[in-house]
Amino acid sequence: MKRRAWLKYAAGSVLLWAAGCANGKKQASVEKEKAAAAPEAEGVHTEEDEGVRISWIQDNAQERRMPNSLFQGADSALIQKLSPEGGVLASVSCFLVEKEGRRALFDTGVGAADSRLLQGLNALGVSPEAVDYLFLTHFHGDHIGGMMREGRVVFPKAEVYASQKEYDAWMQMPADKNAQVVKTMDAYRERLHLFAFDDVLPGGVKSLDGVGHTPGHTLYQVGNFLVVGDLMHGTALQLTHPEICASYDMDMPRAVKTRKRYLAYARSEGLTLAGMHFPPEGFIALK
Ligand SMILES: [Zn+2]
């Protein structure tokens, strides 16, 4: 069951992040009532399911399309048929999970002058200082770019989580490829936590092997939501044809396997996908 809800973070919550939430259902119905009176800000959309509240925050200011020329692995006629406008509607997105009084941000967008992540967080009543955890799907610039602004950290209190595999792979790359990663990880060094796939992280967030797009690409499951990072760049093509890859996928055969595996998993479990390049409003429920 999905509930659309929007409300400001309840200040003063004494519930613990790791503890169960016995009042989840009651709270959800109260929030549902409030949601009717509170319109969502532009570029923000919140869903709630079994005590997990997750908000899509669109980082891109202008409409974003992934050009058909970016995709391969299928007949160009099929790609054209599925995407007749020449580009698939997409986004650059981040997700905020609020659970038991703690806030976790999944990826941080580009960090461009017109990036809207901080505006979106503000609309949800969350300051950068109030972000407790940062979970990174991978180290491409459109995912870690928002961690720094003018050479300083944007999230001064966040504990940062990334896969050991992703970290190791990027650290071995030449300087012309990894300069942004090295600088960013160094700035957060004292709060950086590297995990192995399948580790359960704070808040019961489960890390999952999403390798293919990058060497340590990670998916995260939170309740009935699966944060899929860059599992798909063009949902209009790849949901029905997971064999199609964007040229951004660093290991394409592995990316195809990973995509097929998690789409099947999400369908069998009835999960809702949250994707960093999904079209607005960021979620796709699979049943
Ligand atoms: Zn990306």
Side-chain angles (χ1 to χ4, degrees):
M1 183 165 42
K2 302 288 176 289
R3 299 180 192 91
R4 293 173 65 126
W6 186 97
L7 107 163
K8 284 198 155 193
Y9 162 62
S13 169
V14 293
L15 292 170
L16 294 174
W17 172 250
C21 183
N23 293 325
K25 285 218 157 77
K26 193 177 169 192
Q27 283 176 349
S29 73
V30 171
E31 284 157 13
K32 196 178 174 187
E33 283 165 27
K34 286 184 183 176
E40 292 188 312
E42 196 192 341
V44 174
H45 169 66
T46 299
E47 299 228 347
E48 181 150 354
D49 189 9
E50 294 184 5
V52 177
R53 183 161 60 215
I54 177 167
S55 298
W56 164 74
I57 303 171
Q58 181 178 289
D59 185 57
N60 55 298
Q62 310 295 328
E63 185 186 84
R64 178 81 183 242
R65 283 182 184 269
M66 299 287 183
N68 287 1
S69 58
L70 191 69
F71 297 96
Q72 52 190 280
D75 211 281
S76 60
L78 173 65
I79 291 176
Q80 179 64 26
K81 189 180 153 210
L82 294 170
S83 173
E85 292 180 61
V88 187
L89 188 60
S91 70
V92 176
S93 298
C94 312
F95 293 87
L96 178 77
V97 169
E98 295 169 274
K99 196 180 160 205
E100 295 148 13
R102 307 303 291 261
R103 293 147 302 274
L105 183 63
F106 292 75
D107 289 353
T108 63
V110 178
D114 65 348
S115 275
R116 301 203 312 195
L117 170 61
L118 297 183
Q119 203 178 309
L121 283 172
N122 187 50
L124 291 164
V126 176
S127 69
E129 294 75 20
V131 172
D132 299 292
Y133 305 105
L134 260 185
F135 294 105
L136 302 174
T137 62
H138 65 293
F139 288 176
H140 279 155
D142 56 327
H143 299 258
I144 65 165
M147 292 172 72
M148 304 290 290
R149 187 161 238 180
E150 293 164 1
R152 308 173 92 152
V153 301
V154 173
F155 302 99
K157 294 183 181 158
E159 300 292 326
V160 180
Y161 289 81
S163 80
Q164 181 82 51
K165 276 198 167 172
E166 185 73 357
Y167 183 88
D168 290 347
W170 281 89
M171 289 304 144
Q172 286 160 22
M173 288 182 200
D176 63 325
K177 292 235 167 27
N178 73 3
Q180 181 185 23
V181 172
V182 169
K183 197 174 166 191
T184 304
M185 295 307 140
D186 197 44
Y188 284 85
R189 184 198 303 269
E190 288 176 8
R191 290 174 280 122
L192 181 62
H193 308 270
L194 301 174
F195 57 78
F197 292 133
D198 297 328
D199 280 0
V200 178
L201 307 173
V205 173
K206 189 171 184 196
S207 68
L208 297 165
D209 177 343
V211 172
H213 176 62
T214 62
H217 185 248
T218 306
L219 277 62
Y220 295 97
Q221 185 167 355
V222 197
N224 293 327
F225 295 97
L226 189 63
V227 179
V228 299
D230 281 11
L231 190 72
M232 291 182 281
H233 293 80
T235 53
L237 302 173
Q238 294 172 296
L239 256 184
T240 50
H241 289 271
E243 72 279 11
I244 296 176
C245 279
S247 59
Y248 302 135
D249 289 338
M250 291 169 79
D251 178 342
M252 290 191 190
R254 184 118 183 221
V256 170
K257 272 190 199 163
T258 296
R259 197 155 37 246
K260 287 180 176 172
R261 178 154 50 99
Y262 284 108
L263 286 176
Y265 170 63
R267 284 191 177 107
S268 74
E269 299 286 315
L271 303 180
T272 296
L273 307 181
M276 277 55 184
H277 296 301
F278 283 11
E281 298 172 313
F283 297 100
I284 295 173
L286 292 182
K287 299 274 178 206

